[in-house]
Amino acid sequence: MLSQLSVQNFALVDQLELEFLGRMTVVTGETGTGKSIMLDALGLALGDRSETGYIGNHAEKAEIHAGFDLSDNQNAINWLTERELATNQPECILRRVIGKDGRSRGYINGAPSTVNDMKVLGEMLIDIHSQHEHQSLLRRDTQRRLLDEFAGAIETANSVAGLFHEYKRTTTRLYELTDSNEAQTARLQLLSYQAEELKQLKIEPREHESLEVEQKKLANAESILIHCNDAIEMCLTNDQGSVIELLSKTVQRLESIDIKDIHPIAEMLGSARIQVEEAIHDLESYTSDFEIDPVRLGEVEDRLTTIYDLCRKHRVEPNEIQQLEQQINAELESLNNIDNDIAELEHAAAKIEEAYSKEARKLSSIRKQAADKLRAKVSKQLADLGMPGATFLVELTSSDNCQPSVRGAEEIEFLISTNPGQEPRALNKIASGGELSRISLAIQVVTADTSQVPTLIFDEVDVGIGGAVAEVVGSLLRKLGHKAQIICVTHLPQVAAQGHQHLRVVKLSDKQQNRTEIEQLNTTEKVEEIARMLGGIEMTDQSMAHAEEMFNTAQI
């Protein structure tokens, strides 16, 4: 439920801090004091459209905070949790800031949020009933929700919606496969050619690396051979003898020196002589087997050219060719199985459609039975609210072309005939705002036990009524307050007397500006306010006595 509302620099309100109780809260005040300012501010927190005209005089911005206790609102908790906006406590704070530049910012539990998200969440928190066209009851989605809740069909309706989405996903995939057969055929031909090309080439992993090494050797064969022979000759031929001979003589002379420190040096030179011998032997073996082979060179270069051309063609690196071949073969296998996929999807779509039809028929049956009960109960309630000739109807019409719909097999609309013999019309066609408010109240009273929205706001629900009907309206609102949180803006003392909590709107003026404040009344002030509503500005002993009697009677 709504637990607190904080408003700064909004319209004529400089600063406002309100705490709300459960059950029924009434808001009263003299005409022109701005009783609806609180609801306008709350509407902005719930995602209503903002205007710069809402910002108070000399202020740079207006700011509204609305706090909600979600202890009994699992739908809202689930919604917040799915979007990682939930807190450790079952609560939610909606914040809206409107700047002089016309921009507005919204926050849910401190996280920046879109106005649309605030509106979606707001519809789970509060249902506003007023004389204005934007009230939720005028929307078919709300009417369908109320009927499904009244019928106990929410689980079935969710099942229908889930099967519909599953059916749409399956048929969309099926359409993608069947609608693109020509493109699929062309793709199949291309992949078959590419797969065969790669198969024929038989490119081995890292083959290009070994070919590059071989190509460099063959391309420089003559130069390599010359340099190797030069190295051999330099080691074996010298004016003073070969390198090996010189190293041998050097080792002999050092070994003849009987000094301990010289022995390691002699050993190192001896090892060097052995290594030189081995190196010369290896060079001689290498050059003896070395061939200058221009034919092989051509073959290697042709193979490398083929590999590089293939890489450019497919835009891959040489070491990615094996991965490319796997991908082509995998897609080729998938395309070759397209007929099987289509058959499987067709079978799956048929099964889902059958399940959807069965569940939708079940939902339709539940809705039809509930529609008759809702019609009778709301019509009776309207008679108690001073509309004895009114007839309420719930119209169920088959969806367009009988195609599956997320809403089920039918569209739902609430209709009303306010006078005998009058053609039933949609609720948004009703001319009288007072009638619309009473119809809203009647529907909410009947559906109170099943509605999942915890807070109901009625703005001027009592316009155009008085006397006994006003007492009935007040009594019904108080009764409704035991099942949901009720906030009612009223001008009737019969309704005001029924409130568990009473807020009074007052307008204060000084030489510079007017401002609006909202006071929470104690018991004595409640009675005085009811007396004012009964007798005008001048309160008499008679109006006070009547007000006290009216208040005390309501508390029983």
Side-chain angles (χ1 to χ4, degrees):
M1 68 174 192
L2 177 65
S3 56
Q4 60 91 16
L5 180 67
S6 172
V7 181
Q8 292 180 334
N9 302 320
F10 180 77
L12 298 179
V13 176
D14 292 336
Q15 179 76 31
L16 176 65
E17 297 286 343
L18 290 175
E19 291 188 1
F20 292 88
L21 305 177
R23 300 195 286 182
M24 179 181 174
T25 297
V26 294
V27 182
T28 64
E30 295 182 11
T31 302
T33 55
K35 293 190 291 295
S36 294
I37 283 180
M38 179 186 75
L39 300 188
D40 291 338
L42 183 58
L44 285 172
L46 298 172
D48 280 357
R49 187 175 180 180
S50 66
E51 298 177 8
T52 55
Y54 284 136
I55 301 174
N57 293 333
H58 312 299
E60 292 299 317
K61 64 180 181 179
E63 191 163 340
I64 300 101
H65 295 244
F68 296 86
D69 181 349
L70 304 182
S71 299
D72 297 321
N73 195 336
Q74 193 59 46
N75 286 341
I77 292 175
N78 292 342
W79 189 91
L80 291 168
T81 302
E82 287 171 4
R83 290 155 182 79
E84 299 183 348
L85 295 172
T87 64
N88 293 329
Q89 301 297 322
E91 63 181 12
C92 176
I93 296 177
L94 298 180
R95 176 177 169 231
R96 188 81 177 273
V97 180
I98 306 166
K100 275 284 191 183
D101 57 2
R103 297 180 180 178
S104 76
R105 301 186 301 279
Y107 304 86
I108 299 176
N109 283 337
S113 301
T114 65
V115 171
N116 185 63
D117 277 350
M118 299 181 79
K119 185 180 290 291
V120 170
L121 176 59
E123 290 178 356
M124 303 178 196
L125 303 174
I126 289 181
D127 211 349
I128 298 177
H129 300 270
S130 68
Q131 301 180 51
H132 307 295
E133 292 184 357
H134 69 266
Q135 73 151 295
S136 64
L137 189 60
L138 300 181
R139 298 196 296 269
R140 289 195 178 188
D141 284 348
T142 302
Q143 296 172 9
R144 184 181 65 257
R145 174 181 60 79
L146 285 170
L147 177 62
D148 286 345
E149 288 173 351
F150 179 77
I154 291 297
E155 185 176 342
T156 306
N158 289 339
S159 175
V160 167
L163 287 167
F164 170 79
H165 290 305
E166 188 178 358
Y167 177 76
K168 288 294 290 183
R169 286 193 297 269
T170 305
T171 53
T172 297
R173 177 58 182 153
L174 182 59
Y175 173 80
E176 289 172 353
L177 290 180
T178 55
D179 190 57
S180 56
N181 269 341
E182 185 175 337
Q184 299 281 9
T185 301
R187 179 68 175 165
L188 183 63
Q189 292 174 345
L190 174 63
L191 291 174
S192 298
Y193 169 78
Q194 291 175 342
E196 183 62 26
E197 181 183 39
L198 288 168
K199 181 180 178 181
Q200 293 295 329
L201 288 174
K202 296 180 181 178
I203 299 174
E204 298 294 331
R206 314 192 77 83
E207 179 184 350
H208 70 286
E209 294 179 1
S210 61
L211 288 173
E212 286 174 349
V213 172
E214 187 178 2
Q215 189 271 340
K216 179 181 278 189
K217 173 183 173 182
L218 292 170
N220 297 283
E222 187 174 349
S223 175
I224 292 170
L225 193 58
I226 290 172
H227 283 82
C228 287
N229 286 327
D230 287 347
I232 294 170
E233 185 177 351
M234 291 170 69
C235 289
L236 296 178
T237 306
N238 194 289
D239 292 342
Q240 297 180 357
S242 71
V243 172
I244 296 173
E245 292 173 346
L246 291 173
L247 283 171
S248 297
K249 290 178 181 179
T250 303
V251 170
Q252 290 174 0
R253 290 191 179 185
L254 290 176
E255 286 177 342
S256 66
I257 301 172
D258 191 14
I259 296 176
K260 187 177 180 180
D261 292 340
I262 297 297
H263 292 168
I265 299 172
E267 289 177 359
M268 289 173 61
L269 287 170
S271 296
R273 179 183 65 77
I274 294 170
Q275 289 179 339
V276 169
E277 287 179 340
E278 290 178 352
I280 292 171
H281 178 268
D282 289 344
L283 268 177
E284 287 175 336
S285 297
Y286 182 78
T287 55
S288 65
D289 296 332
F290 195 89
E291 293 183 9
I292 298 175
D293 190 346
V295 175
R296 176 56 185 165
L297 175 60
E299 292 173 351
V300 169
E301 290 181 339
D302 287 345
R303 181 67 170 174
L304 281 172
T305 299
T306 299
I307 294 174
Y308 294 145
D309 286 346
L310 186 69
C311 290
R312 282 192 294 272
K313 177 180 176 181
H314 293 279
R315 297 180 181 178
V316 295
E317 296 297 325
N319 56 8
E320 296 173 340
I321 290 177
Q322 276 67 42
Q323 183 181 356
L324 170 67
E325 188 170 7
Q326 291 173 0
Q327 291 173 348
I328 289 174
N329 287 329
E331 186 177 353
L332 195 57
E333 183 179 357
S334 175
L335 288 174
N336 282 325
N337 291 330
I338 190 170
D339 290 339
N340 293 334
D341 293 341
I342 289 174
E344 289 177 3
L345 285 170
E346 287 175 339
H347 179 68
K351 287 190 67 176
I352 297 168
E353 186 175 18
E354 181 181 355
Y356 171 89
S357 297
K358 181 180 179 181
E359 200 72 357
R361 287 194 298 271
K362 175 183 174 183
L363 180 60
S364 296
S365 176
I366 296 172
R367 283 173 170 172
K368 287 175 183 176
Q369 294 179 35
D372 290 337
K373 294 179 182 178
L374 185 61
R375 174 195 57 76
K377 288 189 175 184
V378 173
S379 295
K380 181 179 182 302
Q381 196 69 68
L382 286 172
D384 295 339
L385 290 172
M387 299 177 66
T391 301
F392 176 77
L393 298 173
V394 181
E395 185 177 66
L396 281 68
T397 56
S398 297
S399 301
D400 294 342
N401 301 321
C402 297
Q403 292 295 314
S405 164
V406 70
R407 298 177 292 276
E410 57 278 317
E411 296 292 337
I412 296 166
E413 185 173 24
F414 291 174
L415 304 176
I416 189 75
S417 171
T418 54
N419 296 296
Q422 185 182 61
E423 187 74 19
R425 295 179 295 169
L427 297 187
N428 58 3
K429 301 297 183 183
I430 296 173
S432 167
E435 287 180 341
L436 179 59
S437 296
R438 274 179 280 168
I439 294 166
S440 298
L441 176 58
I443 293 172
Q444 289 298 339
V445 168
V446 172
T447 60
D449 289 331
T450 56
S451 177
Q452 296 182 8
V453 179
T455 299
L456 306 175
I457 295 179
F458 293 92
D459 185 11
E460 302 286 2
V461 69
D462 44 25
V463 169
I465 62 173
V469 174
E471 291 184 12
V472 172
V473 169
S475 177
L476 285 175
L477 286 169
R478 185 178 179 88
K479 178 182 177 183
L480 199 55
H482 291 282
K483 299 174 181 177
Q485 182 186 36
I486 304 298
I487 300 173
C488 178
V489 178
T490 182
H491 69 283
L492 290 179
Q494 295 95 326
V495 175
Q498 298 286 343
H500 298 94
Q501 180 183 27
H502 195 143
L503 303 176
R504 178 173 61 196
V505 182
V506 295
K507 182 181 285 186
L508 304 176
S509 301
D510 55 31
K511 293 181 180 180
Q512 295 181 341
Q513 64 178 4
N514 296 328
R515 68 181 187 278
T516 293
E517 293 184 356
I518 300 179
E519 307 167 334
Q520 182 160 290
L521 305 184
N522 58 32
T523 301
T524 301
E525 291 168 336
K526 288 179 182 179
V527 174
E528 291 175 351
E529 176 66 4
I530 294 168
R532 180 198 66 75
M533 298 171 75
L534 281 167
I537 297 176
E538 295 294 332
M539 285 185 290
T540 63
D541 291 342
Q542 184 179 7
S543 64
M544 282 293 293
H546 189 185
E548 189 169 359
E549 179 185 3
M550 187 179 292
F551 178 77
N552 290 334
T553 301
Q555 307 311 306
I556 296 175

